[in-house]
Amino acid sequence: MAIDDAPSDIIIGQIEEEIATDSYLPVQVLRMGTLTGLPGGVAEILSSLLKTSPARFQRRFVTVLKEFSAQMKRIEDKIPDRRYYLSEEFQSWLRLVIEKLHATRDEAKLRAFGDALANSGSGEFPDEEEKEEFIHILRDMSIRDLRILKDKRLTDRKSVV
């Protein structure tokens, strides 16, 4: 059974529209002037962080979600049991990725998170420990590190030290 394109694309579109609004609590708090009593430039710094952080985080999450959905469609024939994505194990991997979204701004790495989450349900990971190591390594490495690992000079027997 093919993964239906329309529902996930519609939901992702709705999320993107909601992110564009000013309905976030931090924005409302700033409008009320709650932070203005803080000393020095602290209020301005906090105001700036509070105003942009939720939207920035959510845009990053949508990037991961879009790639997750696209990768699920690409590998649908390799997914032995779709119920895996409802499991506690999958929720653990998703939490690990979500924790890293505040500090990850590279779009390629965000897409790699989406791919990794989708791929975790494929038959390519034989055990839970291997999935956990993979997700932790992906979280800890920069996108530059990941690109270097793909460099064919690393796999060429002649150039290996």
Side-chain angles (χ1 to χ4, degrees), residues 63-81:
T63 300
V64 172
L65 188 60
K66 281 181 175 179
E67 188 60 27
F68 172 78
S69 178
Q71 182 67 359
M72 289 275 296
K73 292 171 192 166
R74 288 189 291 265
I75 67 164
E76 65 184 314
D77 59 328
K78 296 179 182 178
I79 302 170
D81 184 2

Side-chain angles (χ1 to χ4, degrees), residues 64 68 84-85 90 93-94 97 112-121 135:
V64 172
F68 172 78
Y84 162 78
Y85 297 104
F90 178 74
W93 310 143
L94 182 58
V97 168
F113 283 146
D115 288 340
L117 287 169
N119 291 340
S120 70
I135 295 290

Side-chain angles (χ1 to χ4, degrees), residues 79-118:
I79 302 170
D81 184 2
R82 295 203 188 304
R83 291 176 297 182
Y84 162 78
Y85 297 104
L86 301 173
S87 71
E88 187 176 322
E89 178 184 353
F90 178 74
Q91 289 176 31
S92 295
W93 310 143
L94 182 58
R95 281 187 193 102
L96 287 172
V97 168
I98 288 172
E99 288 173 2
K100 205 64 172 173
L101 290 184
H102 288 288
T104 305
R105 66 177 189 265
D106 188 291
E107 190 128 349
K109 186 157 183 183
L110 295 170
R111 288 192 308 272
F113 283 146
D115 288 340
L117 287 169

